[in-house]
Amino acid sequence: MFPVNSPVVEAERAYMFRHALLRDAATQLQLPGDRSRLHGLALSVTEDLCGGAAPEPAPLCSEEKETVAPHPTDPFAEELAWHAGLAGDNLPDAGDRRRKYLRRAALHAERHFQNADLRRLLEAYAGEVEGRERGEALRHAGIAAVHSGDSRLAEALFERARTIQREAGDRALEALALSAISSAARESGRIAQAEAGFNEALALHREAGGAGAFEAAVTGNLANLYRRSGRMEEAERAYNSALAFCREAGDRRREATVLVGMAYLLRVTGRMKPAEAVLEEARSLHRQFGDRRSEGTVLGSLAMLYLETGRPKEAEGAFLASLALNREFGDRDAEDKTLGNLAVLYRATGRLAEAEAGYETALGILRERGQRPGEGVMVGNLANLLHETGRLRAAERLCREALAIHREVRNRSFEGITLGCLARILFDLGRVGEAERCYEEALPILRAVRDVRSEGSFLCDSAVVQLRLKRVDRAREAWIRGATLLREIDDRPELEQRTAFMREACEREGVPPLDTIPS
């Protein structure tokens, strides 16, 4: 291999540039009819060199989904589609061949995880077909846009797909497009729109007599929505329903995806060991199917669980493995989420400069994409870091900004967490009464959404507020309740941190530690 800037490489680039100029100039000297014949000849010769023309893939809107085998023409399929488009009447079935090779070029891009190219090729293919097939091409283009990190473009493509399928009268395909629109709405914080859309998609699909696999997918999406908005009992019921649909339909791939959501719920509600077992089951299923892209998602979830259960080295290893897989498969959306979570680990392990840079980068990406729920979480993370590094006024400002976003997108879980974090900041600013009111608002929310870890942690810190207000009995009561919750979920690292904070406060106030029996 020669260095990128070596004389050999530079000479090769110059040759290729001049060759392209000469080729284009020579082509333009031909009469239009001769040029079109040359394009037809180029296509035919390439097909012959590759052992013949590639077979036609099944339509995207076909009910029978097939795995399309690779063909030797696939690496050149986009160029063959170009030749077919310019060959005109000089090539038999030029239009059909252009459509075929655009479709095969898209399949080739998909196999190589080239998501931006995949979206572009599917949009080009959509321009060559009509009706239901055009709608499905646009929906698949939207999925590629999601993976390449362009959520706004993705939603616009899904909307176009839905309009086409509604006009075509295909309720099942309209339901698929509407479900995709609803997922985009959920990611941007439009919870009411997302919930209504998912339920309408289910109704459309049932009207069309659809299969259980779609029911499983949409019910799983609804479960994720319920969980994010703090409706944990509804979420758990929906996850169990989705798993039942998956198992009834024999859809083990979808089952693995639903298991990841269920594990998140188990982790948030303090059931750490079951959460880890469920994630390992999901990872095993993805490995069974060779789905390494989805395995990267599971590794990111495992990493957060390792971090919250006091295993930072395992967490970092899992985050880095997840990040490598995200990048290997060109999944920008997953990569950006992993980078944000890696910054959480850096903060937890004392690498504050790296954490702050990571938060700032992640926040810029989330704002650019209009992903308000994620933006709220990341603003809150940055506020906590500023608090930890003594920048209290800036921390308060960002914490209030995060709180406003969580309320806007109806993220009850993070509303409760952020109120607790704001209480800590206000306490350190000496505004003890305001801190008390924030805890009084935060704790019922956390109890309602069954966030045992956060409720326990903030109960322990609310005890310190009661100490400052000279209410020792109330302080001890709050401490015992909070410490009990943290012991129930075996969160020893968090309990140790809160205990150290409480004992320092007791020493300042001249009272015995709250975890000792009063004399």
Side-chain angles (χ1 to χ4, degrees):
M1 293 290 291
F2 295 103
V4 172
N5 60 349
S6 75
V8 174
V9 171
E10 290 301 323
E12 183 178 352
R13 283 178 178 161
Y15 167 77
M16 291 175 69
F17 178 72
R18 293 186 189 111
H19 173 75
L21 286 178
L22 286 170
R23 181 196 64 195
D24 291 346
T27 302
Q28 293 304 317
L29 288 173
Q30 307 297 315
L31 293 172
D34 292 335
R35 281 204 302 271
S36 66
R37 278 190 290 274
L38 283 172
H39 283 294
L41 178 63
L43 190 151
S44 298
V45 168
T46 305
E47 285 182 332
D48 289 343
L49 288 171
C50 293
E56 182 88 36
L60 286 165
C61 64
S62 170
E63 291 184 9
E64 297 298 323
K65 302 302 178 187
E66 65 170 5
T67 302
V68 180
H71 187 271
T73 58
D74 287 348
F76 318 108
E78 184 175 2
E79 189 173 345
L80 294 177
W82 177 69
H83 284 307
L86 294 172
D89 295 338
N90 289 289
L91 183 71
D93 304 320
D96 290 341
R97 291 165 100 169
R98 173 169 168 74
R99 285 189 287 275
K100 174 179 73 175
Y101 281 117
L102 277 172
R103 175 96 159 79
R104 294 203 71 99
L107 285 165
H108 183 71
E110 185 176 21
R111 286 190 200 104
H112 291 81
F113 310 103
Q114 297 161 343
N115 292 308
D117 286 341
L118 173 59
R119 191 267 309 157
R120 176 179 56 79
L121 289 162
L122 284 166
E123 283 197 82
Y125 174 69
E128 300 290 329
V129 294
E130 299 292 337
R132 297 161 65 243
E133 185 70 0
R134 174 179 285 183
E136 272 297 270
L138 291 170
R139 185 177 71 85
H140 282 272
I143 294 168
V146 169
H147 287 311
S148 57
D150 197 336
S151 53
R152 288 191 176 95
L153 174 58
E155 187 167 1
L157 290 165
F158 295 145
E159 290 281 5
R160 288 171 61 194
R162 186 195 180 186
T163 299
I164 290 167
Q165 303 301 6
R166 189 195 294 124
E167 290 171 354
D170 192 316
R171 294 289 176 264
L173 292 181
E174 183 187 350
L176 285 172
L178 179 54
S179 178
I181 293 166
S182 303
S183 291
R186 182 192 63 205
E187 291 305 309
S188 60
R190 290 167 285 150
I191 299 300
Q193 178 188 338
E195 185 170 356
F198 284 133
N199 283 315
E200 186 181 351
L202 279 173
L204 283 169
H205 206 260
R206 287 166 184 163
E207 181 186 330
F214 182 81
E215 293 259 348
V218 178
T219 305
N221 281 328
L222 276 169
N224 291 334
L225 183 148
Y226 297 149
R227 188 197 75 221
R228 289 187 182 189
S229 53
R231 294 144 66 184
M232 296 303 188
E233 290 182 4
E234 287 179 81
E236 192 157 355
R237 284 196 299 271
Y239 281 129
N240 284 321
S241 294
L243 288 170
F245 283 128
C246 289
R247 288 160 184 163
E248 183 181 340
D251 189 347
R252 302 305 303 280
R253 289 177 185 271
R254 175 65 57 183
E255 181 183 343
T257 302
V258 175
L259 285 170
V260 174
M262 173 68 95
Y264 190 103
L265 182 144
L266 292 170
R267 177 170 67 83
V268 168
T269 54
R271 291 170 279 177
M272 297 300 192
K273 288 181 180 177
E276 187 167 351
V278 167
L279 284 172
E280 289 293 358
E281 183 182 354
R283 186 183 184 190
S284 174
L285 284 171
H286 287 314
R287 282 182 162 176
Q288 180 182 324
F289 292 111
D291 188 351
R292 297 177 68 245
R293 180 204 290 266
S294 296
E295 187 183 349
T297 302
V298 178
L299 280 167
S301 296
L302 276 168
M304 285 303 295
L305 188 144
Y306 294 151
L307 183 59
E308 290 183 2
T309 51
R311 293 174 281 174
K313 287 186 179 178
E314 288 179 66
E316 186 160 3
F319 274 135
L320 293 175
S322 174
L323 193 60
L325 287 169
N326 299 156
R327 288 171 172 166
E328 179 182 340
F329 295 105
D331 194 339
R332 285 292 310 281
D333 190 50
E335 178 186 346
D336 295 336
K337 287 174 183 173
T338 305
L339 285 169
N341 287 332
L342 197 53
V344 174
L345 179 136
Y346 291 149
R347 174 177 168 246
T349 52
R351 288 172 278 178
L352 301 184
E354 290 174 81
E356 187 164 354
Y359 288 149
E360 293 282 8
T361 300
L363 188 53
I365 292 166
L366 290 163
R367 282 175 171 158
E368 180 185 332
R369 295 182 184 170
Q371 293 183 351
R372 293 288 279 170
E375 180 186 347
V377 173
M378 206 55 61
V379 171
N381 286 340
L382 189 54
N384 290 334
L385 187 142
L386 294 179
H387 179 203
E388 191 172 343
T389 53
R391 291 169 278 178
L392 298 181
R393 298 288 181 190
E396 181 189 357
R397 178 179 56 79
L398 283 183
C399 205
R400 292 190 186 278
E401 182 183 335
L403 185 59
I405 294 172
H406 294 319
R407 285 172 171 163
E408 172 198 326
V409 303
R410 292 167 38 180
N411 190 335
R412 288 286 283 170
S413 294
F414 275 94
E415 181 185 352
I417 291 169
T418 305
L419 279 164
C421 292
L422 180 59
R424 286 173 174 167
I425 295 167
L426 292 169
F427 181 81
D428 285 348
L429 282 166
R431 290 147 63 186
V432 181
E434 290 179 70
E436 183 183 22
R437 287 190 291 277
C438 280
Y439 280 130
E440 287 172 350
E441 196 175 347
L443 290 166
I445 294 173
L446 295 169
R447 198 168 300 121
V449 301
R450 295 163 56 193
D451 186 344
V452 180
R453 182 176 190 268
S454 297
E455 184 188 356
S457 179
F458 289 127
L459 267 171
C460 288
D461 282 2
S462 74
V464 174
V465 170
Q466 296 303 319
L467 269 182
R468 181 67 60 87
L469 295 169
K470 311 301 182 186
R471 303 170 188 157
V472 178
D473 289 342
R474 288 175 65 176
R476 181 169 284 107
E477 180 189 348
W479 174 264
I480 290 170
R481 285 166 54 209
T484 299
L485 289 175
L486 293 175
R487 287 192 189 96
E488 282 176 1
I489 62 172
D490 197 28
D491 194 340
R492 284 168 290 181
E494 185 67 13
L495 182 57
E496 286 169 6
Q497 285 187 33
R498 307 278 57 90
T499 301
F501 180 56
M502 175 270 292
R503 290 191 172 190
E504 287 176 11
C506 287
E507 187 174 344
R508 281 195 306 271
E509 300 297 328
V511 300
L514 299 176
D515 56 351
T516 59
I517 299 172
S519 56

